[in-house]
Amino acid sequence: MKRLYLALLAGLGFGLVQAQANWSLESTIAYALENNPDVQIASDAIDAASSKIEQARAAFRPQLNLESSYMRTNMPLNAFGTILNQGVFDFGLNFNDPGQVDNLNVTGSVQYSIYEGGVRKSNLEAAKSMYSASEFRKKATRQSITFAVIQAWNQIIQAKEYVKSQQSNLNAFTESLDLAQRQFEAGKFLKVEVLNLEVQVARAKEGLVNAQHSLELANEALLNLMGTDENTVLAKIEPKASEHQEKINIISMTPRDRAEVLSMQQHVLAVEKNLKAVESGNTAKVNAFANYQYNQGFEYDGDGNHWMAGVSLNYNIYGGGLTKNRIREAKAMLRQARNQLRKTELAIELDQRSAIIGYRNAVEAAEVTSKMIESAEESAKLSRKRFESGVILSSELIDVENRLTEARMRRAFAITQVSIAEANIKRAYGYL
């Protein structure tokens, strides 16, 4: 029974792995957007900004408070007031020595700000703008992570092609070394030909090891973007060179509003509203208040309840320059925010121009390497036959084989750069 249970679990686990195997680029991006810490940090920032809005709204609501205390005293002044509050005053009381008095007090109070010179409204509008800025920052973060995943995805493709190129290079040199060894033993080749090829086999092995190491690093980079360190996830991801994005028409693309700019615009609005709130520090404040008290004494066995209500006006005539310098600070922060917005706009304009140049260069490089690899492969075929016939030396064959490997690696780099450039230009124009 236990074996059957384990077999069922194993079968279920295998089925789940099969169901989740070979993730697409889209599902990998979705996983990263769900688990990457930067996205989660951005979500937390939105939650914090939302709480700031509710804090600002709280200023428009009445503030209720309930207090309770118990005390004992023989201080004449306090004792006399307590006796009055409990309603047990007696003309026979010795005012200088009323004795010990106790009191249990329960007080309920309400306060409401009638007018604050626009401070509450400005703070609420600033909080709303900061919330919008946080939302746009999250959008920008998601776009950056999406592009980074696409880039890492294609870098894995590139690294795999490098491994294949180095493996082909090693196979070619190994075959040529076997041939040279047989020809040397037959007395047709010099020992130097064998030695040259042995050196190249060793170099090819080193190149293969380096390529495999680069592939491992590329895989780790993708895992990092996905917000996980579980290497089992890589079993579900199998990037293939055929998964390039479709070519895009640059001419038909028009720049969309980038989330970074929209975020900074909302930040500027928030700083403007903050300046208004600070400037309101010079206006009068009007507040309404009311409270109700219940007092109970045990020494005199008395009790009493009382209430009070009214309106207060507060106007700060002179605060030692505090408000003046707060306004000065707020104005400086506004200038800083506007300059930061302009800096962001300029950076995005440069980003878009750079993306166009990078895309065009990548496409041209891909076309050139396509022709390059055809010539290199044909040249390698002819050189291998000529080396086998003894027409050329190993040094010439080595040069040809190395050129073929370089051409293959250039081709792999060029193809993946086209895909990365396509994603980059979409990111730069706000289409990603």
Side-chain angles (χ1 to χ4, degrees), residues 31-48 138 141-142 145 226-228:
Y31 187 97
L33 293 178
E34 182 68 24
N35 296 279
N36 188 283
D38 287 337
V39 177
Q40 295 171 356
I41 290 170
S43 297
D44 292 337
I46 291 176
D47 188 37
K138 180 179 179 180
T141 299
R142 289 174 63 88
I145 290 173
M226 295 174 69
T228 179

Side-chain angles (χ1 to χ4, degrees), residues 348-403:
I348 287 175
E349 290 174 5
L350 176 60
D351 186 26
Q352 290 170 344
R353 291 195 297 269
S354 300
I356 291 174
I357 295 171
Y359 175 74
R360 288 173 176 165
N361 288 345
V363 172
E364 291 175 3
E367 293 174 354
V368 171
T369 56
S370 177
K371 298 175 183 178
M372 179 191 301
I373 198 166
E374 290 177 5
S375 300
E377 287 177 345
E378 184 64 25
S379 176
K381 289 179 183 178
L382 295 174
S383 296
R384 289 166 190 162
K385 291 180 180 179
R386 296 179 67 191
F387 179 72
E388 186 177 357
S389 302
V391 177
I392 63 173
L393 299 175
S394 60
S395 58
E396 295 179 65
L397 177 64
I398 290 169
D399 288 340
V400 172
E401 293 288 0
N402 286 337
R403 283 197 296 270

Side-chain angles (χ1 to χ4, degrees), residues 5-243:
Y5 178 72
L6 293 175
L8 288 173
L9 284 179
L12 177 61
F14 179 77
L16 289 174
V17 171
Q18 288 294 100
Q20 295 178 347
N22 297 328
W23 284 4
S24 64
L25 175 58
E26 290 72 21
S27 60
T28 305
I29 291 172
Y31 187 97
L33 293 178
E34 182 68 24
N35 296 279
N36 188 283
D38 287 337
V39 177
Q40 295 171 356
I41 290 170
S43 297
D44 292 337
I46 291 176
D47 188 37
S50 177
S51 70
K52 286 289 187 182
I53 293 177
E54 293 306 316
Q55 292 176 43
R57 284 176 176 160
F60 289 89
R61 304 175 186 131
Q63 305 298 308
L64 303 176
N65 191 36
L66 180 65
E67 297 181 26
S68 179
S69 64
Y70 175 79
M71 68 90 177
R72 295 181 66 88
T73 183
N74 65 353
M75 295 178 64
L77 181 61
N78 292 341
F80 183 68
T82 300
I83 291 171
L84 289 176
N85 287 337
Q86 294 175 5
V88 291
F89 175 74
D90 184 354
F91 281 103
L93 181 69
N94 183 350
F95 295 143
N96 293 319
D97 187 14
Q100 289 190 12
V101 177
D102 69 340
N103 186 64
L104 173 65
N105 173 268
V106 179
T107 301
S109 62
V110 58
Q111 293 185 349
Y112 181 71
S113 176
I114 299 174
Y115 177 73
E116 288 191 0
V119 173
R120 293 177 297 174
K121 181 181 178 181
S122 296
N123 285 337
L124 178 58
E125 291 176 347
K128 289 180 177 179
S129 294
M130 290 305 295
Y131 177 82
S132 297
S134 298
E135 288 188 314
F136 285 124
R137 279 197 296 271
K138 180 179 179 180
K139 182 178 180 181
T141 299
R142 289 174 63 88
Q143 290 173 341
S144 296
I145 290 173
T146 298
F147 171 70
V149 170
I150 294 173
Q151 188 176 39
W153 180 276
N154 282 279
Q155 285 172 344
I156 291 176
I157 296 173
Q158 176 184 311
K160 287 187 174 183
E161 290 299 316
Y162 282 3
V163 170
K164 287 171 60 178
S165 297
Q166 292 294 347
Q167 185 64 63
S168 297
N169 190 38
L170 176 58
N171 293 341
F173 279 126
T174 301
E175 291 175 5
S176 296
L177 175 59
D178 292 340
L179 173 62
Q181 188 68 42
R182 292 194 301 271
Q183 296 288 56
F184 170 71
E185 292 172 355
K188 296 180 179 180
F189 276 9
L190 297 175
K191 181 65 174 177
V192 67
E193 305 298 330
V194 176
L195 295 175
N196 286 341
L197 288 169
E198 284 178 346
V199 171
Q200 288 306 311
V201 167
R203 288 181 176 176
K205 288 180 179 179
E206 180 188 18
L208 178 59
V209 170
N210 290 336
Q212 290 170 337
H213 180 63
S214 296
L215 175 58
E216 185 180 356
L217 290 177
N219 286 330
E220 291 296 331
L222 182 58
L223 282 178
N224 182 265
L225 285 169
M226 295 174 69
T228 179
D229 56 0
E230 294 292 337
N231 285 313
T232 53
V233 173
L234 291 175
K236 309 170 189 176
I237 302 173
E238 189 62 30
K240 298 179 181 178
S242 60
E243 294 199 46

